[in-house]
Amino acid sequence: MRFYKVLVPMIESNLENMTTTEKEVAHFFLKQVTVEDLSSEMFSHQLHVSKATLTRFAKKCGFTGFREFLFHYREMMREKEDILAYKDLTQKVLFDYEEMLRKNYSILNESQLERIKEMINQAERVYLYGKGSSALALKEMKMRFMRLGIICEVIEDNDMFVWNNLLVDTSCLVIGASISGKTEAVLTALASAHKRGASTVLMTTKNFTEHELMCDEILLLAANKNLAYGNIISPQFPILLMTDCLFSYYLEDPHRRMYYDQTIIDKEEP
């Protein structure tokens, strides 16, 4: 288990359910301070709270008690120390990826993934719209979905956006990807497909309102500073991460699993 990826999101996702005092405890642990004495007595004294408050805080984070929480916190800090053993540039990459995974915990909406899965199942044709790095990630999505028996087509040319939209109708699903949420060609094509009756999904880091964009589903991706520029982390990463999440839902379907099993090239012959 990667404790860093689990503990921090568990604290953050439960902040709204905490009292003011419990939130003070939460913010202390979110700072990831290294503490020598990991005992409830020490934290009770240092944070000026009762042991009962520490227990309630731990339970609201999903643990049986503060002792179990401290075990996870200790392991998280050990993992962090292991990362710090690397050079500065390597640390930066590792921390950025850890941060992206942590943010994905916060924004992941399983009900929405179920809806999108059903949209894919219902569609007779699935088109994937994207430019640049987004298009590259969508090609990976196409390959993954093909292994499940789902036929997809990646469109990445501006003229093809226009021409392809002449073919879409209510039987189609169009999934667009724009990391920045500013790729006009993709946004315009997605809106046009929506007007023609196609079901539409946009994968983006920008949190659009319903009035800003005509789209059935806006699938939020984990964001990082300058992600669209690809300075350190590949801008394809959040799209690929969400693709994996969707893919995992399909593997529970016996029909789709049958397709997938037939694509395993290296499996042993009976």
Side-chain angles (χ1 to χ4, degrees), residues 134 176-183 186-187 202-206 239:
S134 295
S178 172
I179 292 294
S180 65
K182 299 177 181 178
T183 314
V186 172
L187 300 182
L202 175 64
M203 304 173 72
T204 182
T205 61
K206 183 178 178 181
I239 298 176

Side-chain angles (χ1 to χ4, degrees), residues 42-172:
M42 188 284 296
F43 284 110
S44 179
H45 176 73
Q46 182 171 341
L47 300 176
H48 306 290
V49 297
S50 66
K51 291 183 181 180
T53 298
L54 296 175
T55 300
R56 287 195 298 271
F57 156 75
K59 287 185 175 180
K60 287 184 179 180
C61 291
F63 299 97
T64 57
F66 191 61
R67 179 177 296 181
E68 183 187 6
F69 172 85
L70 285 180
F71 169 78
H72 282 73
Y73 186 76
R74 183 187 300 111
E75 294 302 313
M76 181 188 76
M77 297 307 294
R78 286 177 181 171
E79 289 177 359
K80 190 172 181 180
E81 288 175 3
D82 290 342
I83 295 175
L84 289 173
Y86 295 102
K87 294 180 180 179
D88 289 346
L89 290 177
T90 307
Q91 283 183 36
K92 174 62 176 171
V93 174
L94 294 175
F95 276 130
D96 280 356
Y97 272 105
E98 291 279 9
E99 178 71 5
M100 291 289 286
L101 288 170
R102 182 178 67 82
K103 288 180 177 178
N104 198 66
Y105 275 100
S106 302
I107 64 173
L108 193 64
N109 185 329
E110 291 187 312
S111 296
Q112 184 182 42
L113 291 181
E114 288 282 5
R115 292 196 301 271
I116 294 173
K117 173 189 172 184
E118 189 59 29
M119 292 168 72
I120 295 172
N121 284 337
Q122 294 297 323
E124 294 181 7
R125 288 170 288 161
V126 179
Y127 296 106
L128 309 175
Y129 289 3
K131 302 282 291 183
S133 295
S134 295
L136 291 174
L138 291 176
K139 289 177 182 179
E140 170 69 13
M141 178 183 284
K142 172 186 174 179
M143 184 192 73
R144 301 292 298 279
F145 281 5
M146 282 179 64
R147 298 186 66 183
L148 297 170
I150 300 168
I151 301 174
C152 302
E153 184 65 35
V154 178
I155 309 294
E156 55 183 316
D157 179 79
N158 287 5
D159 290 338
M160 284 297 295
F161 288 150
V162 177
W163 300 336
N164 194 73
N165 273 348
L166 296 176
L167 304 176
V168 304
D169 54 30
T170 55
S171 67
C172 300

